[in-house]
Amino acid sequence: MTTFLYRLHFHGPVHFGLAGIGLEAVETSLSSDSMTSAIINAFSLTEGQEGANDVARALGSEEPPFVLSSLFPFGPDPEKPDQYLEALVRPLSQPPLKETNLLRRLGKNLKRIGYLHPADFIAWSGDSPLGDKELEILLSRSQTLTSGWWQQETRPRVALDRESQNSNIWSQAAIWFALERRNQDGAVVKAGAGLYGLVRFSDQSWKDRLEAAFRVLGDTGLGGERTYGLGLFRFGGFETPGPLWQSVLSGTRTRRVFLSLYYPAEGEKAGLDKVLEAWDFVERRGYVVSGRNTTGIKRKRVRMLVEGSVSSRPLRGALVDVTPDNAQAFGIPHRVYRGGLAFLVPDGEGS
C-alpha cells in the first residue's frame, strides 16, 4: 500500500457544522465519512452516475482501492514559519508513563489537548514511557500548536417570513484559514493554513480519477452554506509524506490509532470489545446530498467510532448504506452511503 498526503487551500470561509447544533457552531476538521460521501458525489459530476456507482461498489468491496482519513488542520510551523506543519488528533488512550502519579497531576490538562504535533503523537501512541519533563514539553507545545492558523467569525443573518414578512435574526459561524504571506521578493515568509488529509492506495490506478474528483470538489465546495460560496478550495495535489510522517504511518507501535471514523465490517463485530483499548462514538445524521444538490430528505442515522480511538490490531471497517426508506418515492435515484473504512496508524503493513 502507498500513502499520500494532500492539502486543501480554502479561498474563503468554511462551515463544518456540529451534529445536533445549529449554524452558530463549527468544527476545524472534517470527518472521513463526509469526505468519502463528497468524493462519491464528485465522481457523479466527473464521470456521471455510473462513475459514482463504480466508486461506491469499489469502496464497499472486500479490498477497497483507497481509504481516506478525516481532514485535520495544517499551518505554519511555529519553529519554521515558512514551512507547513500538520496537526494530529489526540489518541483517546492514556500515554505511556514512567510514573502513575503523573496522570493524577497532569491528567486534566492532557484531556484538554485538541491537536498534537506529529512527534508528540508518535510518543503518545508509542511504547516508551514518558517522564515529567517530556509531558511538560508535550503540553506546552500543544497549547500553541495551531495558534494563528484560523479565525472564527459569527455572521448575523436574517430570515423573512413569506406571508407576514416578519424577520427572524439568527447567527452563522464560519472559519477563515490564514493565508500565505510573502515578502517583496516573492519568498514565503509565513506559510498558509488549511486542512489536510491522507489517502492510502491499494490500487494506484484510481489515483488520477480521485485527483480529478478533488479538483471538481474544489469548485463546488465542502461543508455547509455552499450556496453562499463557502467551502471552495484549491487542491494541492498528492504529496509523498516526509520522514516524520513515515514514522507516524509505519513503525512497530503496538497501539493503532484511528485517523478516520470507523464502522465495523460484518466479520469484525464479534470480539470488537477485546481489541479496542480506548474509544468513543458519534451519531452521524443529516440530509441526502445528490450531485450538486442538498435535498430535504434525511438519511438514516448511524453510529461510528471517532478519530483517536485505539485498537490493538488492524481493522478494515465498512461502507454503510444509509439510504432512506422509500428513497425513489422521494426522487432519490441512487443509494446513499457513509464511509466507515478504517484509516489506522501505524497500518501494520508499512506505508
Side-chain angles (χ1 to χ4, degrees):
M1 291 190 180
T2 303
T3 300
F4 293 97
L5 183 149
Y6 62 90
R7 305 180 195 276
L8 308 185
H9 305 266
F10 291 93
H11 301 308
V14 299
H15 177 92
F16 302 134
L18 292 165
I21 300 178
L23 292 170
E24 71 277 5
V26 287
E27 290 269 31
T28 55
S29 61
L30 183 68
S31 290
S32 57
D33 68 324
S34 295
M35 192 69 246
T36 302
S37 295
I39 284 296
I40 293 174
N41 271 293
F43 266 83
S44 74
L45 299 176
T46 58
E47 302 181 10
Q49 189 56 51
E50 185 51 43
N53 293 339
D54 187 25
V55 68
R57 282 193 298 267
L59 293 177
S61 68
E62 289 293 322
E63 296 184 7
F66 63 87
V67 178
L68 298 169
S69 76
S70 296
L71 300 183
F72 303 107
F74 73 87
D77 188 330
E79 298 181 1
K80 300 176 181 178
D82 61 333
Q83 298 181 20
Y84 293 131
L85 179 67
E86 298 78 30
L88 274 162
V89 64
R90 173 179 61 84
L92 296 181
S93 60
Q94 297 177 2
L97 301 173
K98 290 181 179 178
E99 303 174 22
T100 56
N101 68 321
L102 290 176
L103 192 60
R104 291 194 296 270
R105 185 165 63 85
L106 299 173
K108 290 184 178 180
N109 292 332
L110 292 173
K111 287 183 178 179
R112 293 193 187 102
I113 292 175
Y115 294 111
L116 288 170
H117 188 287
D120 295 329
F121 177 90
I122 294 170
W124 189 302
S125 59
D127 301 314
S128 299
L130 305 177
D132 184 272
K133 184 177 180 181
E134 293 156 313
L135 284 178
E136 291 287 356
I137 293 173
L138 184 152
L139 278 168
S140 176
R141 183 153 55 181
S142 65
Q143 288 170 356
T144 59
L145 179 66
T146 61
S147 178
W149 287 10
W150 65 78
Q151 290 185 341
Q152 181 174 332
E153 70 169 8
T154 302
R155 297 176 170 186
R157 302 279 287 275
V158 62
L160 295 177
D161 184 270
R162 291 183 180 181
E163 295 183 0
S164 67
Q165 295 299 301
N166 290 334
S167 61
N168 180 30
I169 298 176
W170 51 284
S171 298
Q172 177 243 311
I175 294 290
W176 290 80
F177 286 101
L179 298 176
E180 180 183 84
R181 287 168 42 194
R182 295 177 177 265
N183 60 22
Q184 294 180 344
D185 299 326
V188 176
V189 176
K190 194 169 188 178
L195 295 179
Y196 77 94
L198 299 160
V199 55
R200 182 172 286 147
F201 286 100
S202 60
D203 181 355
Q204 288 202 57
S205 68
W206 282 79
K207 186 179 176 184
D208 290 343
R209 295 174 68 186
L210 186 60
E211 181 168 350
F214 269 113
R215 296 195 185 282
V216 167
L217 195 57
D219 294 331
T220 57
L222 270 178
E225 300 294 275
R226 295 191 301 276
T227 303
Y228 301 99
L230 274 69
L232 303 178
F233 63 86
R234 175 177 60 83
F235 175 65
F238 294 123
E239 306 174 17
T240 299
L244 183 57
W245 263 105
Q246 292 296 339
S247 298
V248 172
L249 296 168
S250 58
T252 57
R253 301 188 300 280
T254 56
R255 290 183 287 184
R256 294 172 169 84
V257 183
F258 288 91
L259 298 187
S260 66
L261 296 189
Y262 166 73
Y263 186 86
E266 283 299 323
E268 296 173 338
K269 293 180 179 180
L272 190 60
D273 57 331
K274 295 181 177 61
V275 303
L276 293 176
E277 178 178 329
W279 59 275
D280 198 356
F281 67 85
V282 63
E283 184 178 81
R284 303 299 286 169
R285 53 185 175 173
Y287 295 94
V288 174
V289 177
S290 182
R292 296 178 183 268
N293 304 314
T294 301
T295 72
I297 311 302
K298 290 185 177 180
R299 61 180 185 262
K300 290 181 178 179
R301 300 183 181 189
V302 62
R303 289 183 174 182
M304 298 186 183
L305 297 193
V306 301
E307 301 93 338
S309 296
V310 180
S311 171
S312 61
R313 68 173 176 83
L315 294 166
R316 183 175 65 85
L319 199 67
V320 191
D321 190 329
V322 293
T323 308
D325 295 331
N326 301 319
Q328 290 190 344
F330 290 119
I332 302 171
H334 55 78
R335 307 303 294 175
V336 182
Y337 300 97
R338 303 300 287 182
L341 295 171
F343 194 108
L344 286 161
V345 291
D347 58 14
E349 301 172 357
S351 62

